[in-house]
Amino acid sequence: MHNLGLEPVTDISSLNLRAYSNARVVSEYGKAAGLQPPEMEILSRLQSEFSGRRILDIGVGGGRTTPFLIEISRNYLGIDYSPEMIEQCRSRYPGVDLRTFDVRDLSQLGEGTFDLVLFSYNGIDYIEHEDRIRVLADVRHVLSAGGAFVFSSHNRAASVRSAWSPDHLPLRTNPFRELRSFAHQLVRYTRGIRNASVNRRHERQAETYELRNDEGEHYSLVTYYIHIEHQMCQLADAGFRDCRAVALDGRLLEPRDYANTRDPWIHYLCRR
Ligand SMILES: C[S@@+](CC[C@H](N)C(=O)[O-])C[C@H]1O[C@@H](n2cnc3c(N)ncnc32)[C@H](O)[C@@H]1O
């Protein structure tokens, strides 16, 4: 990946789309496989309830979640705003309904058209705050009564490393014995700094959320971070009920755990 984020963009969705259209990034997502422990925990609980029902997989990427969801139901639609991701996913799962579609246009779909909606691996964190609030309301709108929404989002209580951190330098690699690895790490370090120098101007701290230019795709992404407590408020404001937060090890979190959970991202399950 070269030159990501070097020209001005108007909003973080457009900036992040550059990364999610990049050939190397798309190819990596095309190889991603397996569910994360909290996804396994949540989806295995929902499996029998949603068997054969209508599933929407938002931000499907290279299709990591597709085989698990089509196992629950063939009545499945995967969407992504990156046409390159959709192409990659189609080549992996021919015959599956996969479409290029921006989640910010979800209101075009009718009320109650899906029973289970997934927005996995923090995909919701790559849109602006105002869009996120609208998307949460729209997801609720497209869900049937009692339908479930599962997603994950970056945790504001977690720390992020700066692109300039010496952690990224190949300090433990001997350049005489491992020249290739040393050079590779050095290239990644300079690429991270170059991307961060341009993209960190999009960082923002608000009362209830933060936009951070984190390590994702060598600092080419701008990512939304939120405290669990504030995410729960957003979900309640959008009209969701029975909202639960799940830690990265698959453990259900209680409200008393919210403030001291430092996991980099948190999974959420809620109902219309
Ligand atoms: C971190 S990747 C996760 C991909 C896949 N779900 C996985 O778990 O491997 C986030 C995905 O969300 C997609 N995405 C981001 N913003 C989107 C939007 N506004 N509409 C649809 N998809 C979006 C990106 O293109 C990317 O494929």
Side-chain angles (χ1 to χ4, degrees):
M1 184 184 338
H2 303 287
N3 213 28
L4 285 178
L6 291 182
E7 288 129 39
V9 287
T10 47
D11 71 297
I12 70 161
S13 286
S14 320
L15 184 138
N16 292 329
L17 180 59
R18 286 182 186 171
Y20 288 129
S21 304
N22 175 270
R24 191 192 56 80
V25 175
V26 171
S27 155
E28 273 175 20
Y29 275 101
K31 289 182 224 137
L35 292 183
Q36 299 169 6
E39 293 172 332
M40 190 67 94
E41 168 72 25
I42 295 170
L43 291 175
S44 56
R45 278 167 184 251
L46 300 178
Q47 188 155 11
S48 59
E49 182 183 350
F50 291 98
S51 170
R53 294 176 72 191
R54 300 158 301 173
I55 299 180
L56 175 63
D57 193 357
I58 306 173
V60 61
R64 183 181 62 84
T65 49
T66 306
F68 298 91
L69 295 177
I70 58 178
E71 185 75 20
I72 297 176
S73 175
R74 293 295 302 187
N75 201 336
Y76 168 93
L77 170 64
I79 61 170
D80 202 291
Y81 76 158
S82 160
E84 291 82 359
M85 286 288 192
I86 289 295
E87 268 318 300
Q88 179 77 17
C89 198
R90 280 197 186 121
S91 67
R92 207 170 169 193
Y93 302 106
V96 172
D97 194 356
L98 299 162
R99 302 183 206 164
T100 303
F101 192 95
D102 192 321
V103 70
R104 292 171 297 165
D105 296 328
L106 212 56
S107 60
Q108 290 174 15
L109 305 181
E111 182 166 7
T113 27
F114 293 95
D115 304 302
L116 172 62
V117 175
L118 182 76
F119 203 163
S120 69
Y121 210 178
N122 316 315
I124 196 168
D125 291 341
Y126 299 102
I127 58 180
E128 294 280 354
H129 174 72
E130 295 70 23
D131 289 332
R132 179 185 186 99
I133 300 298
R134 208 158 32 81
V135 162
L136 289 175
D138 291 346
V139 167
R140 185 180 175 278
H141 178 79
V142 302
L143 272 175
S144 57
F149 179 37
V150 180
F151 69 103
S152 62
S153 180
H154 283 87
N155 180 9
R156 197 176 181 182
S159 52
V160 294
R161 287 188 301 184
S162 146
W164 285 262
S165 164
D167 290 357
H168 301 302
L169 279 169
L171 299 178
R172 267 174 249 108
T173 308
N174 184 332
F176 300 105
R177 291 214 198 106
E178 303 157 276
L179 183 60
R180 264 175 90 93
S181 166
F182 184 85
H184 183 67
Q185 288 175 65
L186 217 51
V187 168
R188 283 170 64 110
Y189 181 69
T190 49
R191 184 179 295 159
I193 287 181
R194 192 184 55 169
N195 286 334
S197 322
V198 177
N199 295 329
R200 67 186 171 150
R201 73 197 145 102
H202 296 283
E203 290 191 326
R204 189 189 313 150
Q205 291 205 3
E207 195 186 329
T208 58
Y209 71 95
E210 197 171 330
L211 295 182
R212 294 177 179 168
N213 173 221
D214 63 12
E215 284 181 52
E217 308 307 344
H218 308 296
Y219 295 88
S220 61
L221 295 166
V222 176
T223 306
Y224 191 99
Y225 281 72
I226 185 166
H227 286 301
I228 304 173
E229 176 198 347
H230 289 139
Q231 184 56 72
M232 289 300 194
C233 291
Q234 277 184 1
L235 291 171
D237 290 349
F240 286 102
R241 60 177 179 84
D242 300 339
C243 303
R244 299 303 310 257
V246 181
L248 270 186
D249 60 6
R251 194 170 33 97
L252 269 182
L253 295 170
E254 298 301 331
R256 64 172 178 275
D257 305 320
Y258 293 173
N260 50 31
T261 299
R262 301 272 181 265
D263 291 7
W265 62 90
I266 302 292
H267 285 73
Y268 297 90
L269 162 65
C270 53
R271 300 271 180 168
R272 173 168 180 170

